[in-house]
């Protein structure tokens, strides 16, 4: 159908890119995201990764996410900068004990008639 | 290197409810270009991370570090 | 799986271009990771 690999391409793939049984990592998967607040209609059972499978993680390096990583041709989006600023706020709060600086900072502005 | 139009069409049809849904040439070319930009950005950011760690081999963990922000940028 | 292999091959070629451009090397696993992410995208 014109979309699949030609013989030659298949050989290159098989030799250069394909993960094999002999490799330490034989498979890389990106786990299905789940919406915590909404019950997924097609609830995917959380299968345990097989030996030799490497699951990509979005939170393994969460403590690194409070600063923008370098980009190439595509700049960071607004929502990415929002994410980074939230991660920075979390990072700052991580070191707090007891009182929360965010509370202390914002509480003076609370007018109860705004919320009741 | 680039994504073949027919390959992009197959990928899109994985998600279409109707098999008969047709996608003409231009949207396929646009989608192929999008995927190419996405892959090159992922690869280039992985390279930047490996270089920042002073290693010459880009490994999974370099891709994983840049992954959250990459996905938010696309 | 054939579709994934075709995506994986194309991603590998694109990574190869970036690697040569930057004088770096991609592990097979890094290429596979970018391929899986692209497929999901």
């Amino acid at each position: 159908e014109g979309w699949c690999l030609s013989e030659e391409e298949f050989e290159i793939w098989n030799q250069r890119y394909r993960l094999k049984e002999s490799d330490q990592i034989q498979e890389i998967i990106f786990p299905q995201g789940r919406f915590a607040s909404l019950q997924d209609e097609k609830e995917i059972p959380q299968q345990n990764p097989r030996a030799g499978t490497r699951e990509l993680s979005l939170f393994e390096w969460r403590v690194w996410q409070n600063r923008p990583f370098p980009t190439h041709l595509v700049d960071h989006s607004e929502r990415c900068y929002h994410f980074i600023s939230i991660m920075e706020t979390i990072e700052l709060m991580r070191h707090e004990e007891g009182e929360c600086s965010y509370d202390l900072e914002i509480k003076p502005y609370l007018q109860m008639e705004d919320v009741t | 290197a680039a994504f073949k139009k027919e390959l992009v069409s197959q990928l899109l049809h994985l998600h279409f409810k109707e098999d008969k849904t047709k996608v003409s040439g231009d949207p396929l070319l646009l989608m192929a270009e999008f995927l190419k930009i996405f892959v090159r950005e992922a690869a280039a950011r992985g390279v930047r991370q490996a270089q920042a760690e002073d290693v010459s081999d880009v490994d999974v963990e370099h891709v994983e570090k840049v992954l959250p922000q990459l996905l938010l940028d696309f | 799986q054939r579709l994934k292999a075709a995506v994986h091959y194309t991603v590998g070629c694109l990574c190869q271009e970036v690697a040569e451009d930057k004088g770096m090397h991609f592990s097979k696993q890094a290429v596979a990771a970018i391929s899986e992410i692209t497929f999901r995208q």
Side-chain angles (χ1 to χ4, degrees), chain A residues 13 17-18 23 28 30, chain C residues 3 8 12 16 28-29 40:
Chain A
W13 170 72
Y17 304 123
R18 187 180 203 169
D23 289 309
I28 292 194
F30 189 22
Chain C
L3 209 46
H8 193 175
Q16 198 83 26
K28 277 204 311 186
Q29 284 72 22
R40 290 287 300 278

Side-chain angles (χ1 to χ4, degrees), chain A residues 58-70:
Chain A
L58 284 173
F59 54 84
E60 175 77 26
W61 309 97
R62 57 190 176 281
V63 291
W64 293 41
Q65 303 304 325
N66 62 335
R67 56 173 182 75
F69 277 88

Side-chain angles (χ1 to χ4, degrees), chain C residues 22-35:
Chain C
K22 308 275 184 182
M24 296 283 278
H25 173 263
F26 280 83
S27 72
K28 277 204 311 186
Q29 284 72 22
V31 172
I34 294 176
S35 180

Side-chain angles (χ1 to χ4, degrees), chain B residues 12-37:
Chain B
L12 293 178
H13 278 86
L14 281 180
H15 300 277
F16 291 159
K17 287 190 174 42
E18 295 291 326
D19 277 355
K20 296 192 300 300
T21 307
K22 287 263 177 287
V23 187
S24 65
D26 283 356
L28 287 180
L29 286 175
L30 192 59
M31 199 63 193
E33 185 61 18
F34 169 83
L35 287 171
K36 179 174 175 178
I37 291 170

